[in-house]
Amino acid sequence: MRFLLDSRVSAAVSVLSPGSGKDDAFKDAVIESLRSRILHIERHAPRRGVSAAPENSPLPRSRRRSRWELGCPACDDLLPRGLEANSLHEIKGVPSAVRGASAADWMAGIGFAARLAVRRIDTFAAGEEAHASSSMAGSGPGSGAGSGIGPWVLWCWPRQLAGEFGSPSAAGLASLGLDPSRLIIVETARAGDALNAIEESLRAQSLAVVIGIVEEAELTPARRLSLAAGETATPCLLVTHPASEPAGATATRWRVQRGGSAPHTFDPRAPGSPRFSIALERCRARPESAARSPMLLEWSDETRRFDLASIVADLPAQARGADGRAVPAAVRAY
Amino acid sequence: MPSQQPFALIESGAHGLAIVAVNEAAARLGIEAGTSLADARAAHPGLLSRPAEPEKDRIALLKLARWAGRYGPNRHVDGNDGLWIDVSGVAHLFGGEENLLNNMTQHLLSFGVAVQAGLADTLGAAHALARFGCPPDAAWAMAPVSETRASIGFLPVEALRLDAPRILLLKRLGLRHIGQLYDIPRDSLARRFRSSDVAAAVLVRLDQALGAMEEPRRPMQPPPVLSVARAFAEPLISSEALEAFTNELADELAAALAAKDLGARVLRLTFYRADGTSGTIAAAMSTPCHDARHMMALLSEKFSSIDAGFGVDILRLDAVRAGKRGANQKGFASPQGAAFRDPSELVDRLVNRLGRDAITVLRPNGSHIPERAEVRLPALDVLAAETSSRVQSYTPPWPYPKRLLRPAFMLSRPEPIQVTAGVPDGPPASFIWRRVERRVARAQGPERIAPEWWRTLYLDEDQKRPRTRDYYRIEDQQGAMYWVFRHGLYEGEEGSERPSWFLHGLFA
């Protein structure tokens, strides 16, 4: 563990590295999740991910712009500089079938990307709120849907995928947390056109985030996207075919699978908050962070952030591993 | 057709075949349009003839009018055998009006068209000069600026574009030249005619020819708001040169637009090739633009499609439509203005490359049926409407509560699924979609969406009635979430078929 320079990081890594005492790690994970629950309750408390800056002096505007975080400390600590705005982030599902991937595999990646976009916009809104001189600057995170102000998001994919999954629905995007009236949808006839359009959009400096969905990006187009993102500090979230070769030249690559959703607060038979089993496969800023075991994150529509799923309480007994440790189905499958 | 042979175009009329047009050789023999073919043949047995094709003539004339756009954007055909072109402010491109006329008549002669041209301050005077004022040894006649009166005074009254009975009347009164009309007091002119209508018609045509009265003209294309052009002595072949000159034109147009406080909405670049053909490229913008850089960015993408052919000798850039710019400037302190540029430029570039319908935005629509509750509209039109209207445009709110859980993707057409349900009215226990069986782990519902009853009021008996839908959010054992609905109710809606199940959306 010679690379540990920072006590905050070391705490996080000891939570996650499998070699450092299973029981301790598990205990820490539980504490972590309890902590985040408390943070849920106290919505105005400073989040741990951005707590490096003293209270009441939010990060400088430029830094807010240049990075954003998932909102879950365990995950954010893997990334030394958060998710960098000036780079390309690739998100892939886990192929379930032997050949190709099903719609569900794609949806896991797309869902994760959409929620990262929500985080990005909220980070923006928070920064603007703190810095705008007038109170007209928007009413903060959570007020995005349907308000008609706020940054634009561009969604780009080839027509063939649109034919398979249907078209993005305003109601659905609003329930994810994106403002449907500030979304530009680009559907191209060919996959190459989609990559070109994404690159053009990244260079435009008019968008908070570009979500691109393509079968595959080869090294050259991926590098072009990465450079374009770097020029304007517009992040690109690229969702690619679960079974395709990963693109090079990405700052991070995430492997995402849907876990069974959290129990619903009021109805035991209904699906609750969505959960994702996340693995960081590549992290350019800190290669050691990559290739760790996957984490189970839960997205909360209320706080609009990810959190470690509290898996102990809600899993039935048979889902626990042989050592008594609860392992979510999705993680086992992966 | 050998031009030495007398030749006539004929048409079948009320009195047999009549001559409608003759060539020079036939005219020299004294054959005129209007005589019957039989009479002409009797005098000149060698006369060749062919049926006239007025439709083809008309098309050829329109083509010629399109070509004539190189001499000015406002032009159209004039009668069955003429063209008019508004050359105001164009002559300097050709080095003066004489050079313009020489250039034009030479081009037309090289196409094999016999030409007589007239240039004057007014359309009426130019018409008179072209048809009656051309000296026999020249292809054109010109009335110097503000000397129209003197220039057309000696022309016959036929040149005034009057119908035959009025010409006859004028001649009977001894008025043979236009100049004779100048001296007659207007009131007494009216008195000489039997009716005041005739006098009025003559006076209107005279006033129009002399510029005392404005004459409405309808050009071939709506006249551009602003137009800049370049003519080249040596035709341009290389696309680099074309691009460089277009860049100059864009700068010029941008400056002209900015001076008038306008912005272009539609741009058209027309290039006239040396061989008489022409081509255009166009670009549309969602917000009025007077930024030469942005104009060039849109045009230069289409430069590859330009075929310079034998070279381009005239290049013209028009702002076909323009709008008031700055009507909706972003506030200085607004959060968005500071961080981001307006997306309309990006939309323009993408539309230019991918087509208008490829770039869309979602907007609410007045319905509660999920697939009709929203529409996807071309971003170009929506952004234009939302930014350019003088009045702050009202965007209707999204018609559903924020917390409603709806799928991120809606299939364009709900896909039928085979469902096994525990109880008939309950959620599915498992279902087969796209040939894969999915076992349901959890389900939430139903959310009942009734059909729009007002649409069913006037349906005929045999028409299919829309049915109630019961929507369920379901999660399968892999964690994927779907939006499915049962179409119809079990305890008999009318026409009670068995209810069927469909998958309508995917949750992301």
Side-chain angles (χ1 to χ4, degrees), chain B residues 172-201:
Chain B
R172 278 192 188 148
L173 292 168
L175 300 167
R176 296 193 175 274
H177 297 289
I178 296 174
Q180 288 173 301
L181 291 168
Y182 298 164
D183 306 326
I184 304 169
R186 302 174 74 93
D187 307 353
S188 65
L189 193 66
R191 249 179 285 121
R192 287 188 192 204
F193 293 111
R194 245 167 275 145
S195 76
S196 58
D197 283 0
V198 182

Side-chain angles (χ1 to χ4, degrees), chain A residues 65 103-104 107 110-111 115 124 128 137 142-143 145-146 150-152 154-155 157 159 164-173 175-176 180-188 193 196-197 200-201 204-208 258-264 268-272 301-302, chain B residues 301 333 335-336 338-344 346-347 349-350 353-354 357-363 374 376 379 383 386 395 397-398 400 402-412 415 433-434 438 441-445 473-482 506-508:
Chain A
R65 293 260 163 76
M107 283 304 141
I110 293 172
R115 286 170 178 98
F124 246 100
E128 293 297 342
S143 69
W152 287 83
L154 186 130
W155 179 289
W157 59 352
R159 200 159 290 151
E164 200 172 322
F165 306 141
S167 74
S169 129
L173 294 168
S175 66
L176 280 178
S181 48
R182 304 294 266 177
L183 180 82
I184 299 172
I185 302 166
V186 179
E187 261 178 37
T188 64
D193 288 345
N196 281 340
E200 185 80 49
S201 316
Q205 226 167 3
S206 343
L207 305 162
R258 271 305 274 263
S261 58
H264 195 274
R269 284 167 305 175
D301 280 333
E302 302 300 328
Chain B
E301 285 200 356
Q336 225 225 310
F340 297 109
R341 303 236 297 264
D342 194 72
S344 59
L346 169 67
V347 168
R349 281 202 295 277
L350 291 175
R353 191 178 292 174
L354 302 168
D357 296 332
I359 324 300
T360 48
V361 290
L362 293 161
R363 286 294 173 264
E374 51 196 64
R376 265 170 76 179
L383 292 186
E386 285 175 3
T395 324
W398 293 97
Y400 27 73
K402 206 178 6 179
R403 297 250 46 87
L404 202 60
L405 287 168
R406 285 286 168 85
F409 297 93
M410 295 249 273
L411 299 178
S412 51
E415 292 179 12
W433 177 57
R434 292 186 182 170
R438 293 148 217 267
R442 280 185 269 194
Q444 186 180 29
R473 269 176 81 215
I474 56 182
E475 181 182 323
D476 73 4
Q477 286 184 339
Q478 275 72 48
M481 289 184 62
Y482 307 91
L506 304 167
F507 287 87

Side-chain angles (χ1 to χ4, degrees), chain B residues 77-301:
Chain B
V77 299
D78 179 36
N80 291 327
D81 54 355
L83 294 177
W84 64 263
I85 310 165
D86 183 353
V87 295
S88 322
V90 178
H92 71 273
L93 291 172
F94 298 89
E97 292 180 335
E98 285 91 353
N99 288 337
L100 186 146
L101 283 168
N102 280 331
N103 181 317
M104 175 158 55
T105 48
Q106 271 160 24
H107 264 112
L108 286 168
L109 285 170
S110 73
F111 299 157
V113 178
V115 57
Q116 288 182 324
L119 180 70
D121 289 354
T122 62
L123 187 56
H127 176 99
L129 280 172
R131 280 156 211 264
F132 296 90
C134 264
D137 54 339
W140 51 265
M142 189 174 85
V145 177
S146 62
E147 285 179 31
T148 312
R149 241 178 126 81
S151 305
I152 63 169
F154 66 93
L155 297 179
V157 284
E158 282 94 333
L160 276 183
R161 296 180 287 172
L162 291 165
D163 51 7
R166 277 164 208 179
I167 299 282
L168 194 62
L169 192 61
L170 283 171
K171 286 193 166 166
R172 278 192 188 148
L173 292 168
L175 300 167
R176 296 193 175 274
H177 297 289
I178 296 174
Q180 288 173 301
L181 291 168
Y182 298 164
D183 306 326
I184 304 169
R186 302 174 74 93
D187 307 353
S188 65
L189 193 66
R191 249 179 285 121
R192 287 188 192 204
F193 293 111
R194 245 167 275 145
S195 76
S196 58
D197 283 0
V198 182
V202 172
L203 286 172
V204 163
R205 283 308 195 188
L206 186 62
D207 286 348
Q208 284 179 343
L210 295 177
M213 182 187 269
E214 196 67 34
E215 182 176 353
R217 297 187 295 270
R218 227 185 63 198
M220 215 174 168
Q221 294 163 325
V225 182
L226 275 171
S227 172
V228 289
R230 281 285 146 91
F232 311 104
E234 208 43 52
L236 305 179
I237 305 242
S238 78
S239 64
E240 290 81 18
L242 280 174
E243 196 160 347
F245 280 110
T246 309
N247 212 344
E248 277 182 28
L249 287 178
D251 282 339
E252 217 172 292
L253 186 67
L257 285 165
K260 291 194 168 187
D261 202 21
L262 291 174
R265 288 288 318 283
V266 178
L267 282 178
R268 186 176 57 211
L269 179 74
T270 315
F271 41 100
Y272 296 96
R273 301 189 194 97
D275 58 355
T277 55
S278 64
T280 54
I281 53 180
M285 279 158 279
S286 53
T287 47
C289 154
H290 59 95
D291 177 6
R293 194 187 45 78
H294 183 47
M295 291 181 193
M296 263 324 275
L298 295 184
L299 289 174
S300 62
E301 285 200 356

Side-chain angles (χ1 to χ4, degrees), chain A:
Chain A
M1 296 245 174
R2 63 196 150 74
F3 52 83
L4 299 179
L5 304 170
D6 170 337
S7 64
R8 197 159 62 88
V9 174
S10 86
V13 171
S14 68
V15 166
L16 292 155
S17 67
S20 65
K22 280 184 181 176
D23 289 348
D24 280 359
F26 184 53
K27 212 188 287 173
D28 281 0
V30 173
I31 291 169
E32 194 63 60
S33 95
L34 286 173
R35 269 197 199 126
S36 63
R37 269 205 181 181
I38 294 167
L39 284 179
H40 271 216
I41 297 160
E42 303 170 350
R43 276 192 62 186
H44 298 291
R47 290 173 208 156
R48 208 182 142 192
V50 291
S51 65
E55 219 174 328
N56 296 332
S57 67
L59 285 173
R61 205 177 200 180
S62 53
R63 276 188 68 196
R64 285 253 186 206
R65 293 260 163 76
S66 65
R67 53 185 282 247
W68 84 104
E69 290 171 328
L70 281 78
C72 164
C75 196
D76 289 331
D77 287 345
L78 292 176
L79 306 161
R81 290 195 294 273
L83 286 161
E84 288 160 281
N86 59 359
S87 32
L88 174 66
H89 304 278
E90 190 184 9
I91 294 145
K92 286 173 111 52
V94 178
S96 59
V98 182
R99 289 174 301 133
S102 71
D105 303 334
W106 273 99
M107 283 304 141
I110 293 172
F112 183 63
R115 286 170 178 98
L116 286 185
V118 172
R119 292 286 313 157
R120 166 81 177 148
I121 288 164
D122 284 357
T123 312
F124 246 100
E128 293 297 342
E129 195 176 28
H131 284 268
S133 49
S134 76
S135 60
M136 300 279 289
S139 36
S143 69
S147 61
I149 56 161
W152 287 83
V153 175
L154 186 130
W155 179 289
C156 180
W157 59 352
R159 200 159 290 151
Q160 169 242 332
L161 285 176
E164 200 172 322
F165 306 141
S167 74
S169 129
L173 294 168
S175 66
L176 280 178
L178 290 167
D179 179 357
S181 48
R182 304 294 266 177
L183 180 82
I184 299 172
I185 302 166
V186 179
E187 261 178 37
T188 64
R190 287 184 301 269
D193 288 345
L195 288 166
N196 281 340
I198 295 169
E199 190 185 332
E200 185 80 49
S201 316
L202 288 173
R203 291 190 199 279
Q205 226 167 3
S206 343
L207 305 162
V209 58
V210 176
I211 305 174
I213 299 158
V214 291
E215 290 277 342
E216 184 173 9
E218 283 171 13
L219 184 63
T220 314
R223 264 201 69 71
R224 291 183 66 98
L225 293 184
S226 187
L227 289 173
E231 269 175 36
T232 53
T234 309
C236 178
L237 301 171
L238 196 68
V239 185
T240 50
H241 191 287
S244 71
E245 279 293 307
T250 53
T252 60
R253 184 171 69 246
W254 303 84
R255 185 69 80 163
V256 183
Q257 192 176 26
R258 271 305 274 263
S261 58
H264 195 274
T265 325
F266 305 112
D267 182 357
R269 284 167 305 175
S273 300
R275 284 178 176 174
F276 297 89
S277 154
I278 310 277
L280 180 60
E281 282 191 348
R282 176 188 158 95
C283 176
R284 196 167 51 193
R286 185 186 287 160
E288 317 81 271
S289 292
R292 294 188 182 278
S293 54
M295 279 176 274
L296 190 67
L297 299 187
E298 183 175 325
W299 171 259
S300 158
D301 280 333
E302 302 300 328
T303 55
R304 292 155 74 94
R305 51 186 283 208
F306 286 103
D307 251 311
L308 277 183
S310 50
I311 46 182
V312 195
D314 47 58
L315 272 180
Q318 72 269 20
R320 299 191 182 197
D323 55 352
R325 201 180 146 192
V327 182
V331 174
R332 274 186 297 142
Y334 181 59

